[in-house]
Amino acid sequence: MDIKKHIRDIADFPKPGIVFKDITPLMLDADLMNATVAQLIALIPADVKIDKVVAMESRGFFFGTLLAQKLNAGFVPARKKGKLPFETCGAVYALEYGTDEIEIHTDAIKPGENVLIHDDVLATGGTAKAVTEIVNKLGGNIVQCQFLMQLDFLKGEEKVKPHHVKAILHY
Ligand code: AMP
């Protein structure tokens, strides 16, 4: 199934100059959703048991929970600062102007657990790098950072290295 055909480009959203990759057309179709999950699962080394899937607010949650269910793993939401109710561990990352902070609950990952990090889009890599820093602080073992889409021209993979970066679609 041609997943790429069902990603909609929205020019100048949420601000001028950004081409937003809209995954809602893809999510309207159950067969496409299933095919997407299967392709994301196929990216993961077959011989590794994933203990936790960490996914980024908010579009990472859509496929992140489905992946966790398929992998028989726990699901961990990574959320913007101030959204999670319990004790958190966070990391700051740079935006075009200023900084932002992303957090996960401190009890979400146990030292030595195998962690899959998932989001819809890898752009500059700032968000993903921040999440790798949090998982590292909590002692998790990052197996892979995987994305539906990787915007190669923004070179986010360089920022997330040395962690393994994979995506099913490249632009
Ligand atoms: P970055 O930290 O620059 O890699 O940005 C990644 C985060 O921003 C992800 O959580 C994406 O959901 C979102 N994002 C960045 N660029 C786009 C885009 N062109 N279309 C849709 N989402 C994007």
Side-chain angles (χ1 to χ4, degrees):
M1 298 185 90
D2 192 352
I3 293 169
K4 211 171 197 173
K5 263 192 1 215
H6 299 269
I7 307 283
R8 178 164 55 194
D9 281 359
I10 308 283
D12 299 320
F13 183 88
K15 47 187 182 178
I18 305 282
V19 178
F20 187 85
K21 298 291 186 193
D22 177 18
I23 60 172
T24 61
L26 164 67
M27 297 197 318
L28 292 174
D29 185 306
D31 290 338
L32 278 167
M33 285 284 273
N34 290 335
T36 305
V37 171
Q39 289 196 28
L40 290 167
I41 296 276
L43 297 175
I44 306 164
D47 57 341
V48 179
K49 168 74 182 101
I50 301 294
D51 299 305
K52 297 280 166 58
V53 175
V54 178
M56 284 74 135
E57 178 178 351
S58 57
R59 287 178 299 279
F61 296 172
F62 299 135
F63 286 97
T65 48
L66 296 174
L67 287 166
Q69 192 180 44
K70 276 264 183 245
L71 294 164
N72 202 26
F75 177 77
V76 179
R79 300 207 60 187
K80 295 279 172 65
K81 187 177 173 60
K83 298 280 188 188
L84 288 169
F86 184 61
E87 186 183 295
T88 58
C89 179
V92 175
Y93 58 100
L95 299 173
E96 199 176 350
Y97 301 103
T99 59
D100 215 338
E101 189 167 349
I102 194 157
E103 300 178 325
I104 72 177
H105 277 151
T106 50
D107 66 350
I109 293 164
K110 308 262 177 295
E113 281 189 329
N114 286 336
V115 174
L116 179 75
I117 295 175
H118 168 83
D119 202 359
D120 64 335
V121 175
L122 177 66
T124 66
T127 313
K129 183 177 190 319
V131 173
T132 64
E133 286 170 7
I134 303 169
V135 174
N136 283 332
K137 277 192 245 178
L138 294 175
N141 169 44
I142 299 167
V143 174
Q144 179 179 97
C145 299
Q146 59 142 260
F147 306 86
L148 256 64
M149 290 168 269
Q150 183 169 342
L151 308 183
D152 294 328
F153 55 94
L154 292 174
K155 302 193 179 351
E157 186 166 350
E158 297 300 316
K159 203 174 269 177
V160 181
K161 272 180 180 169
H163 300 294
H164 299 290
V165 172
K166 293 268 186 194
I168 57 178
L169 304 173
H170 289 264
Y171 292 86

